[in-house]
Amino acid sequence: MFRKCLLCLMILLYPQFVMASGQYPSPLPTPSAEILNVDIERCSTSCLRDFLERGQVFSFMANVNKDNQNERVLEELNVLLSALEISEIPYFIGAQKPFFNIALLFPRKSIGRYSSTTTNVILSYLLHQKGRFNFESFDSKTELQEDIQEALEVIAAQGYRQVIAVVTQDGANAINALNPNLEVFIPTVHKSQIQGEIARRVIFGGISYAEQIQKLSALNPNVKATSFYDDSVIGKQMQAYTQEANANLGYTKSFNLKQNPDFQKEMKSIRGQLRGTRIFLNTPVTNSSVILSQLTYHEVAPQGIYSTQINYNPSLLSITQERDKRNMYIANSIMPLDSLFVENAKLLNADLQYNWINYTTAYGIEYFYRKSVPRVKAYFKEKIRNQQVEYAIEILTPTNTRFVPLKGS
């Protein structure tokens, strides 16, 4: 029932693919270090512990085998292999477990294209770490609770204990209701969207549109507010957040270019209601660009135009004119990351600069990875509080070429 993609890789040559123009990788293999066991006496688990306590880490690594391994031994072994950049232990090959195990759960019918982009995000992070790993994806088909439960059971039967679940709000509520024994990170949904008590082993990584709108609304709260939104689930939610944060919200309109072919004529009749107001655009980039151009064409001069993460997109810069974006403010929770990490992700078409689901998925894989290998470099600064990732919110203004932070935001 499940489409699987099993990857058990030891990436040693990956950095050679990241090279400046005009350079070529050497045909010579990258040097690697191996540990050989030349001791004929058997070593028990307590014997391994003695090696560690005496600081004899190479003796420890050389003596690990299928008969004396346990979860704690393997954890210590993986940390040392990573820290010392040792590729393998020949005596232990076939007996040792993979360096890191992670499963991806997604309902393809619900999340569509994100099934491939999130796969690329996870792969780019694991390849960047250059370690041994197991990665397998599981398609639950739908977000019905019984389908989600069956997928989680298969994941557990395959030996995975950590899962990244890319689901919608319905799927997140189904997972939460199941109270899974596995550790599940959901990068696509915020904790506030969950009904009932939060399951103990589920962590939510979604950004908060509500908090972004609250921060935007606090900029000029005494100015009358108006808004445009689309009729999607997210659009309606953002409209509700806008209403809640702005008691003086007046004119509102559900807008979609396909459903509003005569919008230019409509704008002429409503421009008086929009002038001098704070206009909230709870619409995706394409619809937002149409609204912005019509505001300019009909000489509507709002106090400001406010939007959330939904319009933090480079397309907004390219498909709108500079005058259309004047006095526009966008809330953003994607913080700058290490440039090499970002560029390596781009090699697999994984955008960590503007795509917030990619960003939160990358956070999730790092969260799990650093639990297994705590000494590796952390690329993210966000913390988890009460099972929800907390994101900073900055206010940006768009120019022709980039988004510029608003002073004091």
Side-chain angles (χ1 to χ4, degrees):
M1 175 179 179
F2 302 101
R3 176 180 176 272
K4 301 181 180 179
C5 174
L6 179 61
L7 296 165
C8 185
L9 304 173
M10 182 62 182
I11 302 300
L12 297 175
L13 301 178
Y14 180 64
Q16 295 182 8
F17 297 123
V18 187
M19 306 195 75
S21 177
Q23 294 182 327
Y24 300 91
S26 168
L28 298 177
T30 303
S32 61
E34 299 182 358
I35 295 293
L36 297 174
N37 183 14
V38 296
D39 196 340
I40 61 174
E41 294 185 8
R42 293 192 175 189
C43 183
S44 64
T45 303
S46 60
C47 162
L48 293 177
R49 178 55 50 192
D50 289 340
F51 281 134
L52 283 180
E53 290 177 354
R54 293 196 298 267
Q56 296 174 292
V57 294
F58 293 105
S59 295
F60 166 80
M61 290 187 285
N63 280 279
V64 176
N65 59 56
K66 63 181 180 180
D67 297 321
N68 59 18
Q69 64 173 282
N70 58 34
E71 186 173 348
R72 186 174 180 183
V73 166
L74 290 172
E75 182 178 346
E76 295 278 6
L77 176 65
N78 286 331
V79 170
L80 290 170
L81 288 174
S82 177
L84 298 172
E85 298 185 352
I86 295 172
S87 61
E88 58 187 33
I89 307 175
Y91 181 78
F92 191 51
I93 288 178
Q96 69 185 105
K97 293 183 180 179
F99 181 80
F100 175 71
N101 293 290
I102 190 70
L104 171 66
L105 168 66
F106 61 88
R108 188 178 297 277
K109 291 182 180 179
S110 302
I111 58 107
R113 62 188 177 90
Y114 286 114
S115 62
S116 60
T117 58
T118 51
T119 296
N120 290 346
V121 169
I122 294 171
L123 277 174
S124 69
Y125 181 87
L126 295 175
L127 293 173
H128 188 73
Q129 292 293 357
K130 299 179 291 183
R132 196 186 300 270
F133 64 86
N134 256 0
F135 169 41
E136 192 167 356
S137 61
F138 298 81
D139 182 2
S140 65
K141 308 301 183 184
T142 78
E143 295 186 284
L144 295 175
Q145 186 166 318
E146 53 266 34
D147 287 340
I148 295 285
Q149 181 175 7
E150 183 178 353
L152 290 174
E153 289 174 354
V154 171
I155 290 171
Q158 295 293 330
Y160 295 97
R161 294 296 177 264
Q162 297 174 323
V163 184
I164 292 179
V166 181
V167 294
T168 70
Q169 184 174 339
D170 290 339
N173 275 292
I175 291 172
N176 187 70
L178 290 169
N179 191 21
N181 291 325
L182 306 175
E183 288 187 277
V184 181
F185 184 94
I186 303 177
T188 44
V189 175
H190 190 272
K191 178 182 174 181
S192 62
Q193 298 172 275
I194 300 302
Q195 301 169 356
E197 185 177 352
I198 302 298
R200 182 174 58 89
R201 297 174 70 83
V202 178
I203 296 174
F204 299 90
I207 64 169
S208 174
Y209 286 118
E211 292 175 5
Q212 289 190 348
I213 288 174
Q214 288 171 5
K215 186 158 186 175
L216 290 166
S217 300
L219 292 179
N220 294 282
N222 296 323
V223 178
K224 186 178 180 179
T226 54
S227 71
F228 291 89
Y229 63 98
D230 70 7
D231 58 2
S232 66
V233 173
I234 295 298
K236 290 178 179 178
Q237 284 182 342
M238 287 195 289
Q239 173 62 15
Y241 299 147
T242 303
Q243 179 72 66
E244 183 178 351
N246 296 274
N248 58 3
L249 182 66
Y251 178 84
T252 65
K253 180 176 179 58
S254 173
F255 175 79
N256 183 300
L257 186 58
K258 293 181 180 180
Q259 298 172 356
N260 302 86
D262 298 324
F263 182 63
Q264 184 173 354
K265 294 180 181 179
E266 294 179 43
M267 178 62 76
K268 186 175 181 180
S269 65
I270 64 174
R271 58 186 177 183
Q273 300 177 68
L274 300 175
R275 285 190 179 122
T277 67
R278 294 176 295 135
I279 300 178
F280 285 82
L281 289 187
N282 297 321
T283 51
V285 173
T286 301
N287 289 334
S288 294
S289 67
V290 173
I291 296 171
L292 289 170
S293 65
Q294 289 301 309
L295 291 173
T296 300
Y297 180 79
H298 289 280
E299 298 181 341
V300 176
Q303 180 278 329
I305 300 168
Y306 301 79
S307 190
T308 61
Q309 199 77 46
I310 195 171
N311 279 304
Y312 181 63
N313 190 311
S315 296
L316 182 74
L317 307 179
S318 60
I319 65 177
T320 58
Q321 301 181 58
E322 185 175 7
R323 59 181 180 172
D324 296 343
K325 302 185 287 281
R326 190 176 298 124
N327 295 327
M328 187 173 187
Y329 306 95
I330 295 178
N332 167 54
S333 294
I334 298 178
M335 298 295 111
L337 295 171
D338 177 85
S339 59
L340 180 59
F341 177 45
V342 172
E343 291 304 314
N344 283 352
K346 285 182 179 179
L347 293 175
L348 291 179
N349 295 319
D351 174 19
L352 298 179
Q353 290 179 285
Y354 294 101
N355 188 308
W356 74 261
I357 292 180
N358 285 354
Y359 183 87
T360 57
T361 299
Y363 180 94
I365 186 65
E366 176 170 281
Y367 167 73
F368 282 139
Y369 195 87
R370 295 192 75 242
K371 287 187 71 175
S372 297
V373 193
R375 299 180 188 177
V376 299
K377 178 180 178 180
Y379 293 102
F380 294 86
K381 297 180 181 179
E382 292 86 351
K383 303 298 182 183
I384 296 173
R385 183 178 182 183
N386 297 327
Q387 295 172 257
Q388 169 63 50
V389 182
E390 292 188 326
Y391 299 98
I393 300 174
E394 62 177 356
I395 305 299
L396 306 173
T397 57
T399 67
N400 272 346
T401 58
R402 63 194 181 101
F403 294 91
V404 180
L406 181 68
K407 292 182 179 180
S409 62

